[in-house]
Amino acid sequence: MKAKALPSSMSSTAIWTWPTLLGALTLSGLMSALLGQHGVWLAVSWISLSMPLAVITVCLRRAWSRPSSKGGPL
Amino acid sequence: MTTRTLRRWFLVHKWTSLICTLFLLIVCMTGLPLLFSEQIWDIFVGDDDPPYETLPPGTSNASLDTIVAKAHSLFPGQIVTDIAPDDDEPAVLVSMAPSWQALKDDEKYPDRNSGHWIKFDARTTRVLKQSRPADAPPPPRTWTGVIMGTCSRLHVSLFAYLPGRLFLGLMGGIFVASLVSGTILYGRFMKRLPFGTVRRDRARRLTWLDLHNLLGVATLVWASVVGFTGLINELQTPLFGLWRVTDVRQILKPYANLAVPAQNHLSSVQAAFETAAKAAPGNVVTELSFPGSSFGSPVHYVLWTHGATPLRARLFTPVLVDARTGELTGAYPMPWYLRFLEISRPLHFGDYGGMPLRILWALLDLVVIGVLISGLVLWAAKRRVSADTRLRTLGYEFDDRTGLVVSHDAGDAAR
């Protein structure tokens, strides 16, 4: 997930891997609590729905932990 | 994708987002306190109901017929309109009114309400609480009440009743269109950026764009589900109306012109609950409306039942029991569009997975607010530049990373 310039454009698979994964986790989280309602299913739901938030946190921490050499305006 | 198609999607995203952003900000912010309304009421207002009597374990509930008779004796000459045993407390709520006609007349006067209720202990039939008499001074308004009421009305209808609901439903639809177009643009903009990149070493605008993309794509499915189910919820009035003028009217047609029998001539209420439980196996009977209500039949008890499992808990099946004879007339599962509405409710409210789910709902809501604000920033920063130029500018900016370039020469010249 490093922001170094890549030599060529990414394939659609590469672009959509993470979004698809997060979307699938969200859906399974939404459904498992609705269909299950028991201890385990609730826990599965909480964990799956936390994943998008966790991924956002990790990405933001990475971006802000690197020293910023901000360029000029566009 | 050609530049031309891309530009079209960009315009779709820009305009759909601009139209719905303000309203989405309103519903996202007012939704936050609503998520925790139970807790907020408990903390700031509390419950002033008297505690339940401690009875020996295994004490059975009184017959509902006894409770109805007691209600009649408390208010002689009045009618019982509805009886509802509480889900999780040993209480039975009985609604009464001077007459069906009085309730109907109330509709003409917004501040008149001739209906009232009595809460009985289900085991001892003792009166636990009664609604405030119509002529009593209104209770003092609490800050909690004012704030929660304002949030709720803004969230559901922008204080504009049915037109407000339909308008917000339309905004929900536009939001979904904005999500779809945003997803297509995301695929294009991320051509040479690894997932989750937030560039902070270049123009500030790119930081906002990357943030918008990251927050947006990570919450895409949640926002689509909550947005779409919100839209469905706003359609509940017309959907229930549709059911009433089609199926319900058909079912009740043979009885429509019969007179409402006097309440002392009606069959047993307790037996009607038992008949309904048998007619809708696996369902819980929660409420019984007396013959003569505006939505029911003049001669039937309408019993509301719902599924016992979490998924089916919001799927209602009304059961009609003839109040003259106590015979079952039928159980009527709701049509598919109302079933869909009922299933979409929990997915909008996030109230089906305990406190952790509510907290996750709130956090995801905050992220969506972040997407809306970053979108507004992106628009405000460049709104004087035409969409075309903007895309080309993005192209230059991206040219070594994303391949989104209109012309390489032009890109170099602009640098």
Side-chain angles (χ1 to χ4, degrees):
Chain A
M1 268 202 255
K2 276 233 155 128
K4 64 185 174 202
L6 299 178
S8 62
S9 70
M10 292 195 288
S11 65
S12 304
T13 330
I15 297 175
W16 292 109
T17 307
W18 275 98
T20 311
L21 188 68
L22 290 179
L25 278 168
T26 307
L27 268 188
S28 66
L30 290 173
M31 294 321 285
S32 74
L34 192 62
L35 299 171
Q37 280 284 311
H38 297 292
V40 183
W41 290 109
L42 285 188
V44 168
S45 162
W46 300 333
I47 293 167
S48 325
L49 280 172
S50 310
M51 285 304 146
L53 296 165
V55 167
I56 290 173
T57 314
V58 168
C59 291
L60 293 184
R61 284 191 64 153
R62 267 187 200 186
W64 263 265
S65 62
R66 266 203 320 269
S68 162
S69 56
K70 204 175 90 60
L74 204 69
Chain B
M1 192 188 294
T2 64
T3 317
R4 210 181 146 82
T5 342
L6 182 63
R7 190 171 62 214
R8 283 208 187 121
W9 279 115
F10 187 84
L11 286 175
V12 171
H13 189 59
K14 180 177 123 175
W15 284 107
T16 49
S17 306
L18 277 179
I19 293 168
C20 67
T21 292
L22 171 68
F23 302 103
L24 276 172
L25 276 173
I26 293 175
V27 295
C28 281
M29 297 208 200
T30 53
L32 277 178
L34 292 180
L35 262 176
F36 303 103
S37 57
E38 256 173 63
Q39 287 73 25
I40 291 174
W41 281 107
D42 281 355
I43 292 169
F44 293 104
V45 180
D47 184 0
D48 59 350
D49 287 2
Y52 286 98
E53 275 175 73
T54 326
L55 296 176
T59 309
S60 58
N61 285 349
S63 160
L64 293 173
D65 293 316
T66 318
I67 292 177
V68 170
K70 191 159 177 188
H72 275 303
S73 68
L74 285 171
F75 293 91
Q78 293 213 1
I79 56 160
V80 174
T81 56
D82 189 283
I83 178 165
D86 198 288
D87 281 351
D88 42 32
E89 289 178 27
V92 176
L93 199 67
V94 174
S95 305
M96 299 189 77
S99 66
W100 289 112
Q101 191 56 45
L103 282 181
K104 213 170 178 182
D105 293 343
D106 282 354
E107 287 167 21
K108 293 179 212 141
Y109 307 95
D111 29 293
R112 207 167 88 179
N113 182 14
S114 42
H116 61 100
W117 51 262
I118 313 161
K119 192 170 163 186
F120 291 97
D121 188 310
R123 305 154 306 174
T124 61
T125 74
R126 208 162 61 89
V127 175
L128 297 172
K129 204 179 171 184
Q130 290 201 46
S131 53
R132 198 174 48 81
D135 49 359
R141 301 190 74 185
T142 59
W143 276 110
T144 314
V146 173
I147 293 169
M148 296 305 286
T150 309
C151 282
S152 163
R153 294 186 66 185
L154 269 177
H155 190 87
V156 173
S157 66
L158 299 171
F159 282 96
Y161 305 100
L162 183 57
R165 283 168 179 264
L166 296 180
F167 177 78
L168 280 182
L170 178 69
M171 290 302 120
I174 292 178
F175 176 52
V176 172
S178 138
L179 287 173
V180 171
S181 53
T183 310
I184 288 162
L185 291 180
Y186 175 86
R188 198 65 186 84
F189 282 144
M190 297 304 282
K191 274 267 185 223
R192 288 198 192 177
L193 277 183
F195 171 82
T197 312
V198 181
R199 289 164 294 179
R200 293 187 54 245
D201 49 353
R202 307 187 64 181
R204 175 164 293 173
R205 185 182 152 67
L206 286 186
T207 313
W208 282 109
L209 178 68
D210 290 347
L211 268 179
H212 188 72
N213 278 336
L214 169 63
L215 302 182
V217 82
T219 53
L220 176 66
V221 171
W222 184 81
S224 313
V225 169
V226 175
F228 182 68
T229 51
L231 152 69
I232 301 291
N233 271 309
E234 296 290 24
L235 294 181
Q236 63 168 327
T237 314
L239 288 181
F240 271 103
L242 179 65
W243 183 50
R244 279 176 65 172
V245 299
T246 54
D247 299 1
V248 175
R249 184 169 293 173
Q250 207 58 39
I251 295 162
L252 297 179
K253 213 173 181 181
Y255 314 101
N257 296 320
L258 297 175
V260 181
Q263 290 209 329
N264 53 4
H265 287 106
L266 298 181
S267 65
S268 159
V269 167
Q270 182 67 45
F273 268 79
E274 282 149 24
T275 309
K278 271 187 229 134
N283 276 19
V284 189
V285 189
T286 55
E287 196 177 336
L288 174 149
S289 300
F290 274 68
S293 71
S294 57
F295 55 83
S297 127
V299 293
H300 286 93
Y301 288 129
V302 181
L303 291 108
W304 296 95
T305 77
H306 65 73
T309 61
L311 180 65
R312 298 180 42 83
R314 290 169 196 267
L315 292 178
F316 293 91
T317 303
V319 176
L320 289 183
V321 171
D322 196 313
R324 300 166 296 184
T325 60
E327 302 276 335
L328 174 73
T329 301
Y332 306 92
M334 291 197 162
W336 64 269
Y337 48 86
L338 288 180
R339 301 184 148 251
F340 191 67
L341 165 70
E342 299 297 350
I343 287 193
S344 73
R345 280 181 207 262
L347 287 172
H348 187 75
F349 300 147
D351 60 352
Y352 59 100
M355 191 37 97
L357 192 70
R358 285 175 201 261
I359 293 172
L360 284 166
W361 229 252
L363 293 173
L364 290 162
D365 185 68
L366 287 172
V367 175
V368 171
I369 293 180
V371 178
L372 295 173
I373 290 177
S374 55
L376 275 179
V377 169
L378 286 170
W379 166 73
K382 296 289 266 177
R383 72 174 186 285
R384 276 183 232 104
V385 190
S386 77
D388 209 336
T389 324
R390 194 172 329 158
L391 269 176
R392 214 175 304 139
T393 319
L394 280 172
Y396 302 152
E397 189 56 37
F398 280 93
D399 89 38
D400 55 336
R401 299 186 179 205
T402 67
L404 187 90
V405 67
V406 182
S407 140
H408 237 289
D409 297 341
D412 292 340
R415 209 30 77 66

